[in-house]
Amino acid sequence: MPYLSPALNVMIAAARKAARPLIRDFGELENLQVSRKGPADFVTAADQRTEKILVEELTKARSGYGFVLEEGGIVEGSDKTHRFIIDPIDGTTNFMHGVPHFSISIALEREGNIVSGLVFNPVNDEMFVAERGHGAFLNDKRLRVASRKNLPDIVVASGAPFMGKDGREEFLKEADAVLASTSGIRRFGSAALDLAWVAAGRFDAFWERKLRPWDIAAGLLLVREAGGIVTDLTGRDLMLESGDVLAANENLHKPLMDLIRSAGK
Ligand code: IPD
Ligand code: CA
Ligand code: CA
């Protein structure tokens, strides 16, 4: 059985509560796809409501903790040593298009370290959790990163910058190098789930640049607690600062970093 700290239990309960109306909204979207206004406003409302429920539930149980929220920004708490880092819907584009691959991501930071994390896909009820020093779990099953050693055998997840986002050219060079040397790339649209799936050994690795803390804070802990290595693209532990992430097992991390870095040049 997984060890779940009291704080992680509170986070799980909050995520489950927020997920109920979110699943109802996801069902409703089918009707909205065909409406003239389209689903964008509806999704914004779903995002904000999910975040509100999470903040209310977490505040009830841990009054004084601060927040880093995708929608609401930074909320200072009276307790300066703890804050929750939250993405209410990671994979908004999927949600909007009726693709059942999105997640609620909640991490708890204590004195600058992520100590608990969850990534929850409410559609298939997959609850990925990790507690620092106590492993990562999917529902009740212990997670372990994949053990493949050779680049030609691996599947790598990523995220591609689109429209006005910076870094498309760099990404295309990096993706070209990864495609040339591996069994391929998957771009599923939720960085939090990408990391959870690396922890679960479904993907062998994940890289993406310019992510935000709420996209990755919980997923980073999941990968580490499943025995994987996570750094930025220069090998440093500065993912939350730079937004650049490379996650893989210990055999693949260095070769992939070399491949991706040399491609960008
Ligand atoms: C996005 C997802 C996506 C990643 C983007 C993120 P959102 O978050 O994590 O996979 O490629 O960079 O912004 O907007 O769906 O919360
Ligand atoms: Ca996100
Ligand atoms: Ca989001």
Side-chain angles (χ1 to χ4, degrees), residues 220-239:
L220 302 177
L221 183 66
L222 281 164
V223 173
R224 285 192 170 151
E225 288 299 324
I229 298 179
V230 193
T231 66
D232 65 11
L233 269 304
T234 63
R236 293 173 305 171
D237 186 3
L238 290 175
M239 298 77 71

PDB file of all heavy atoms in Angstrom, residues 220-239:
ATOM      1  N   LEU A 220       7.388  16.150 -11.673  1.00  0.00           N
ATOM      2  CA  LEU A 220       8.822  15.979 -11.397  1.00  0.00           C
ATOM      3  C   LEU A 220       9.024  15.005 -10.236  1.00  0.00           C
ATOM      4  O   LEU A 220       9.878  14.116 -10.287  1.00  0.00           O
ATOM      5  CB  LEU A 220       9.473  17.314 -11.014  1.00  0.00           C
ATOM      6  CG  LEU A 220       9.388  18.479 -11.990  1.00  0.00           C
ATOM      7  CD1 LEU A 220      10.026  19.725 -11.397  1.00  0.00           C
ATOM      8  CD2 LEU A 220      10.075  18.096 -13.291  1.00  0.00           C
ATOM      9  N   LEU A 221       8.220  15.201  -9.185  1.00  0.00           N
ATOM     10  CA  LEU A 221       8.339  14.319  -8.018  1.00  0.00           C
ATOM     11  C   LEU A 221       7.937  12.892  -8.389  1.00  0.00           C
ATOM     12  O   LEU A 221       8.596  11.931  -7.960  1.00  0.00           O
ATOM     13  CB  LEU A 221       7.461  14.846  -6.871  1.00  0.00           C
ATOM     14  CG  LEU A 221       7.569  14.049  -5.570  1.00  0.00           C
ATOM     15  CD1 LEU A 221       8.971  14.196  -4.966  1.00  0.00           C
ATOM     16  CD2 LEU A 221       6.528  14.507  -4.552  1.00  0.00           C
ATOM     17  N   LEU A 222       6.885  12.753  -9.198  1.00  0.00           N
ATOM     18  CA  LEU A 222       6.450  11.408  -9.618  1.00  0.00           C
ATOM     19  C   LEU A 222       7.601  10.668 -10.297  1.00  0.00           C
ATOM     20  O   LEU A 222       7.876   9.500  -9.995  1.00  0.00           O
ATOM     21  CB  LEU A 222       5.271  11.515 -10.591  1.00  0.00           C
ATOM     22  CG  LEU A 222       3.907  11.786  -9.968  1.00  0.00           C
ATOM     23  CD1 LEU A 222       2.912  12.260 -11.024  1.00  0.00           C
ATOM     24  CD2 LEU A 222       3.367  10.529  -9.300  1.00  0.00           C
ATOM     25  N   VAL A 223       8.277  11.346 -11.236  1.00  0.00           N
ATOM     26  CA  VAL A 223       9.358  10.675 -11.978  1.00  0.00           C
ATOM     27  C   VAL A 223      10.500  10.305 -11.027  1.00  0.00           C
ATOM     28  O   VAL A 223      11.006   9.180 -11.051  1.00  0.00           O
ATOM     29  CB  VAL A 223       9.883  11.559 -13.130  1.00  0.00           C
ATOM     30  CG1 VAL A 223      11.105  10.923 -13.781  1.00  0.00           C
ATOM     31  CG2 VAL A 223       8.789  11.779 -14.173  1.00  0.00           C
ATOM     32  N   ARG A 224      10.880  11.235 -10.179  1.00  0.00           N
ATOM     33  CA  ARG A 224      11.990  10.945  -9.248  1.00  0.00           C
ATOM     34  C   ARG A 224      11.656   9.796  -8.310  1.00  0.00           C
ATOM     35  O   ARG A 224      12.476   8.924  -8.068  1.00  0.00           O
ATOM     36  CB  ARG A 224      12.320  12.186  -8.432  1.00  0.00           C
ATOM     37  CG  ARG A 224      13.069  13.162  -9.272  1.00  0.00           C
ATOM     38  CD  ARG A 224      13.659  14.264  -8.449  1.00  0.00           C
ATOM     39  NE  ARG A 224      14.563  15.034  -9.283  1.00  0.00           N
ATOM     40  CZ  ARG A 224      14.821  16.310  -9.102  1.00  0.00           C
ATOM     41  NH1 ARG A 224      14.273  16.957  -8.102  1.00  0.00           N
ATOM     42  NH2 ARG A 224      15.661  16.926  -9.906  1.00  0.00           N
ATOM     43  N   GLU A 225      10.441   9.810  -7.810  1.00  0.00           N
ATOM     44  CA  GLU A 225      10.048   8.756  -6.863  1.00  0.00           C
ATOM     45  C   GLU A 225       9.851   7.412  -7.561  1.00  0.00           C
ATOM     46  O   GLU A 225       9.785   6.379  -6.907  1.00  0.00           O
ATOM     47  CB  GLU A 225       8.798   9.174  -6.097  1.00  0.00           C
ATOM     48  CG  GLU A 225       9.064  10.280  -5.075  1.00  0.00           C
ATOM     49  CD  GLU A 225      10.066   9.851  -3.994  1.00  0.00           C
ATOM     50  OE1 GLU A 225      10.048   8.677  -3.597  1.00  0.00           O
ATOM     51  OE2 GLU A 225      10.878  10.708  -3.569  1.00  0.00           O
ATOM     52  N   ALA A 226       9.757   7.436  -8.900  1.00  0.00           N
ATOM     53  CA  ALA A 226       9.671   6.181  -9.657  1.00  0.00           C
ATOM     54  C   ALA A 226      11.063   5.763 -10.141  1.00  0.00           C
ATOM     55  O   ALA A 226      11.187   4.856 -10.974  1.00  0.00           O
ATOM     56  CB  ALA A 226       8.722   6.350 -10.838  1.00  0.00           C
ATOM     57  N   GLY A 227      12.098   6.433  -9.650  1.00  0.00           N
ATOM     58  CA  GLY A 227      13.469   6.028  -9.964  1.00  0.00           C
ATOM     59  C   GLY A 227      14.069   6.703 -11.187  1.00  0.00           C
ATOM     60  O   GLY A 227      15.152   6.325 -11.638  1.00  0.00           O
ATOM     61  N   GLY A 228      13.398   7.711 -11.726  1.00  0.00           N
ATOM     62  CA  GLY A 228      13.912   8.402 -12.906  1.00  0.00           C
ATOM     63  C   GLY A 228      14.745   9.622 -12.551  1.00  0.00           C
ATOM     64  O   GLY A 228      14.833  10.016 -11.387  1.00  0.00           O
ATOM     65  N   ILE A 229      15.356  10.199 -13.588  1.00  0.00           N
ATOM     66  CA  ILE A 229      16.155  11.415 -13.412  1.00  0.00           C
ATOM     67  C   ILE A 229      15.441  12.555 -14.130  1.00  0.00           C
ATOM     68  O   ILE A 229      15.001  12.384 -15.272  1.00  0.00           O
ATOM     69  CB  ILE A 229      17.563  11.223 -14.002  1.00  0.00           C
ATOM     70  CG1 ILE A 229      18.262  10.089 -13.258  1.00  0.00           C
ATOM     71  CG2 ILE A 229      18.377  12.508 -13.937  1.00  0.00           C
ATOM     72  CD1 ILE A 229      19.653   9.787 -13.760  1.00  0.00           C
ATOM     73  N   VAL A 230      15.324  13.689 -13.464  1.00  0.00           N
ATOM     74  CA  VAL A 230      14.736  14.873 -14.096  1.00  0.00           C
ATOM     75  C   VAL A 230      15.677  16.048 -13.887  1.00  0.00           C
ATOM     76  O   VAL A 230      16.070  16.330 -12.748  1.00  0.00           O
ATOM     77  CB  VAL A 230      13.381  15.272 -13.475  1.00  0.00           C
ATOM     78  CG1 VAL A 230      12.683  16.289 -14.368  1.00  0.00           C
ATOM     79  CG2 VAL A 230      12.487  14.087 -13.259  1.00  0.00           C
ATOM     80  N   THR A 231      16.035  16.707 -14.988  1.00  0.00           N
ATOM     81  CA  THR A 231      16.834  17.942 -14.908  1.00  0.00           C
ATOM     82  C   THR A 231      16.301  18.903 -15.960  1.00  0.00           C
ATOM     83  O   THR A 231      15.390  18.569 -16.712  1.00  0.00           O
ATOM     84  CB  THR A 231      18.324  17.674 -15.212  1.00  0.00           C
ATOM     85  OG1 THR A 231      18.441  17.263 -16.583  1.00  0.00           O
ATOM     86  CG2 THR A 231      18.932  16.617 -14.310  1.00  0.00           C
ATOM     87  N   ASP A 232      16.937  20.076 -16.042  1.00  0.00           N
ATOM     88  CA  ASP A 232      16.673  20.918 -17.206  1.00  0.00           C
ATOM     89  C   ASP A 232      17.549  20.400 -18.356  1.00  0.00           C
ATOM     90  O   ASP A 232      18.218  19.365 -18.217  1.00  0.00           O
ATOM     91  CB  ASP A 232      16.889  22.406 -16.882  1.00  0.00           C
ATOM     92  CG  ASP A 232      18.337  22.738 -16.543  1.00  0.00           C
ATOM     93  OD1 ASP A 232      19.232  21.877 -16.757  1.00  0.00           O
ATOM     94  OD2 ASP A 232      18.594  23.863 -16.076  1.00  0.00           O
ATOM     95  N   LEU A 233      17.620  21.116 -19.467  1.00  0.00           N
ATOM     96  CA  LEU A 233      18.373  20.594 -20.613  1.00  0.00           C
ATOM     97  C   LEU A 233      19.880  20.828 -20.490  1.00  0.00           C
ATOM     98  O   LEU A 233      20.635  20.499 -21.398  1.00  0.00           O
ATOM     99  CB  LEU A 233      17.841  21.210 -21.919  1.00  0.00           C
ATOM    100  CG  LEU A 233      16.705  20.454 -22.653  1.00  0.00           C
ATOM    101  CD1 LEU A 233      17.098  19.011 -22.966  1.00  0.00           C
ATOM    102  CD2 LEU A 233      15.411  20.458 -21.891  1.00  0.00           C
ATOM    103  N   THR A 234      20.305  21.390 -19.330  1.00  0.00           N
ATOM    104  CA  THR A 234      21.746  21.505 -19.104  1.00  0.00           C
ATOM    105  C   THR A 234      22.174  20.601 -17.949  1.00  0.00           C
ATOM    106  O   THR A 234      23.283  20.699 -17.453  1.00  0.00           O
ATOM    107  CB  THR A 234      22.155  22.970 -18.790  1.00  0.00           C
ATOM    108  OG1 THR A 234      21.513  23.352 -17.563  1.00  0.00           O
ATOM    109  CG2 THR A 234      21.750  23.918 -19.895  1.00  0.00           C
ATOM    110  N   GLY A 235      21.271  19.766 -17.493  1.00  0.00           N
ATOM    111  CA  GLY A 235      21.615  18.813 -16.439  1.00  0.00           C
ATOM    112  C   GLY A 235      21.459  19.364 -15.037  1.00  0.00           C
ATOM    113  O   GLY A 235      21.857  18.726 -14.063  1.00  0.00           O
ATOM    114  N   ARG A 236      20.878  20.576 -14.913  1.00  0.00           N
ATOM    115  CA  ARG A 236      20.749  21.158 -13.572  1.00  0.00           C
ATOM    116  C   ARG A 236      19.339  20.977 -13.017  1.00  0.00           C
ATOM    117  O   ARG A 236      18.383  20.781 -13.767  1.00  0.00           O
ATOM    118  CB  ARG A 236      21.075  22.662 -13.622  1.00  0.00           C
ATOM    119  CG  ARG A 236      22.525  22.937 -13.933  1.00  0.00           C
ATOM    120  CD  ARG A 236      22.759  24.414 -14.149  1.00  0.00           C
ATOM    121  NE  ARG A 236      21.858  24.930 -15.181  1.00  0.00           N
ATOM    122  CZ  ARG A 236      21.710  26.225 -15.468  1.00  0.00           C
ATOM    123  NH1 ARG A 236      22.385  27.128 -14.811  1.00  0.00           N
ATOM    124  NH2 ARG A 236      20.886  26.607 -16.426  1.00  0.00           N
ATOM    125  N   ASP A 237      19.256  21.134 -11.704  1.00  0.00           N
ATOM    126  CA  ASP A 237      17.970  20.993 -11.014  1.00  0.00           C
ATOM    127  C   ASP A 237      17.263  22.359 -11.000  1.00  0.00           C
ATOM    128  O   ASP A 237      16.951  22.886  -9.934  1.00  0.00           O
ATOM    129  CB  ASP A 237      18.253  20.492  -9.588  1.00  0.00           C
ATOM    130  CG  ASP A 237      16.965  20.163  -8.838  1.00  0.00           C
ATOM    131  OD1 ASP A 237      15.876  20.270  -9.429  1.00  0.00           O
ATOM    132  OD2 ASP A 237      17.063  19.818  -7.649  1.00  0.00           O
ATOM    133  N   LEU A 238      17.054  22.940 -12.177  1.00  0.00           N
ATOM    134  CA  LEU A 238      16.461  24.283 -12.244  1.00  0.00           C
ATOM    135  C   LEU A 238      15.218  24.292 -13.125  1.00  0.00           C
ATOM    136  O   LEU A 238      14.934  25.274 -13.804  1.00  0.00           O
ATOM    137  CB  LEU A 238      17.503  25.277 -12.795  1.00  0.00           C
ATOM    138  CG  LEU A 238      18.673  25.590 -11.871  1.00  0.00           C
ATOM    139  CD1 LEU A 238      19.686  26.493 -12.568  1.00  0.00           C
ATOM    140  CD2 LEU A 238      18.175  26.263 -10.586  1.00  0.00           C
ATOM    141  N   MET A 239      14.483  23.179 -13.094  1.00  0.00           N
ATOM    142  CA  MET A 239      13.325  23.055 -13.987  1.00  0.00           C
ATOM    143  C   MET A 239      12.233  24.074 -13.654  1.00  0.00           C
ATOM    144  O   MET A 239      11.604  24.632 -14.544  1.00  0.00           O
ATOM    145  CB  MET A 239      12.713  21.641 -13.887  1.00  0.00           C
ATOM    146  CG  MET A 239      13.642  20.533 -14.304  1.00  0.00           C
ATOM    147  SD  MET A 239      14.874  20.167 -13.038  1.00  0.00           S
ATOM    148  CE  MET A 239      13.909  19.395 -11.768  1.00  0.00           C
TER     149      MET A 239
END
